[in-house]
Amino acid sequence: MCGVSKWSVVLCIVMLGIFSLSSFQGCKDPEEFEPDQDTLVPPPEPPELLEPTDGFVYNVVIDPFNYSYDVLLEWTAVDGNELYEVELTTDTFPPVVVNSPTSSLIITFRDLHRLCEHHWRVRAGSIHWTNFTEWSDPRTFELRMRQDGPLLISPEHDTIISVDSLPIMVTLVWDTLQDEEFYVIEIYEHSVFYDQYIWSENSITIELDETGQYTWRVKAGSSLWALDSYWSSTWQFTVEYN
């Protein structure tokens, strides 16, 4: 047998059998799989976007050790899907499509170069469907620096209000910011907390029953903001008898 042992022949036969079996079964890449067109079904309804709420504002605070910000996008799962495509459009730039195997995706904004509006939508896909689902309804979120507190207007700092009798009505006025829904006003008497108000207008009239020195400050907020604004500066006024 030309110096070939019977064990070598047996080994060759076994290896040939293994090769033939693997060739018969086939191991295709999933990306290459093409199902019979007659077995495809129409896609289901598109995903529904969950978070963030449409129009939500992420108020960014600069961290000297971390110049990035994460935004979590979430949507409803679609039965039978194998892949989600998330289309993200930043301001007026062309859209970018990112794939996600699950019904959520974390978008990391680095160096905070994208402090503006972002638009997003999602669709699902499967090799068993005739096409992707329709795109979901789009939503918008915004990255914005956390805002400074409102500018106080009246009564001016260190104003003295002379009265003949008490109680007295004092109107506090401040400037508006940007799309806020409410304001939080804090009043202190002689540096001791006196009262707090949550108000929808940028002025409020309060009743004071005692003379003395009062300080006040204001911050703005919204149900669509991740963070309230910073507090305004603190102003004071004094109520005294004539």
Side-chain angles (χ1 to χ4, degrees), residues 25-234:
Q25 290 178 336
C27 296
K28 289 189 175 182
D29 189 300
E31 296 294 331
E32 300 176 357
F33 176 67
E34 295 182 2
D36 188 337
Q37 291 295 313
D38 292 337
T39 67
L40 300 183
V41 296
E45 292 297 310
E48 293 184 13
L49 305 188
L50 298 176
E51 297 291 341
T53 302
D54 192 31
F56 194 79
V57 176
Y58 292 93
N59 307 100
V60 178
V61 177
I62 289 294
D63 180 347
F65 302 102
N66 181 20
Y67 285 87
S68 65
Y69 198 90
D70 291 338
V71 173
L72 175 62
L73 307 179
E74 295 183 284
W75 55 90
T76 57
V78 176
D79 290 341
N81 82 287
E82 296 176 318
L83 180 73
Y84 295 101
E85 288 192 345
V86 183
E87 183 186 81
L88 182 68
T89 304
T90 299
D91 199 20
T92 58
F93 291 91
V96 174
V97 175
V98 181
N99 295 335
S100 175
T102 64
S103 57
S104 65
L105 179 68
I106 295 178
I107 302 294
T108 299
F109 296 89
R110 303 190 183 282
D111 299 327
L112 303 182
H113 289 159
R114 296 291 183 259
L115 296 175
C116 56
E117 285 192 345
H118 303 264
H119 313 278
W120 66 293
R121 59 181 185 169
V122 180
R123 67 179 181 176
S126 170
I127 59 174
H128 301 291
W129 302 341
T130 55
N131 205 341
F132 281 91
T133 67
E134 295 293 329
W135 286 103
S136 67
D137 291 334
R139 281 191 180 181
T140 298
F141 64 88
E142 180 182 351
L143 263 64
R144 181 192 304 172
M145 295 302 298
R146 186 180 183 185
Q147 289 141 297
D148 292 333
L151 177 66
L152 305 186
I153 296 176
S154 177
E156 294 184 1
H157 185 48
D158 284 337
T159 292
I160 297 176
I161 302 174
S162 299
V163 298
D164 295 322
S165 62
L166 292 171
I168 181 177
M169 307 302 290
V170 176
T171 299
L172 309 177
V173 184
W174 55 92
D175 202 1
T176 58
L177 293 180
Q178 179 183 351
D179 58 46
E180 62 265 36
E181 295 178 343
F182 60 85
Y183 303 93
V184 181
I185 306 100
E186 286 189 348
I187 312 292
Y188 295 81
E189 182 183 10
H190 298 294
S191 301
V192 178
F193 179 77
Y194 179 80
D195 210 344
Q196 182 186 82
Y197 307 88
I198 298 178
W199 201 246
S200 60
E201 304 296 331
N202 65 314
S203 67
I204 187 172
T205 300
I206 60 174
E207 181 179 294
L208 301 176
D209 298 319
E210 299 177 356
T211 59
Q213 185 184 81
Y214 294 88
T215 57
W216 62 292
R217 61 179 186 170
V218 181
K219 68 177 179 178
S222 170
S223 61
L224 291 176
W225 293 2
L227 297 172
D228 291 345
S229 75
Y230 290 103
W231 284 102
S232 68
S233 57
T234 300

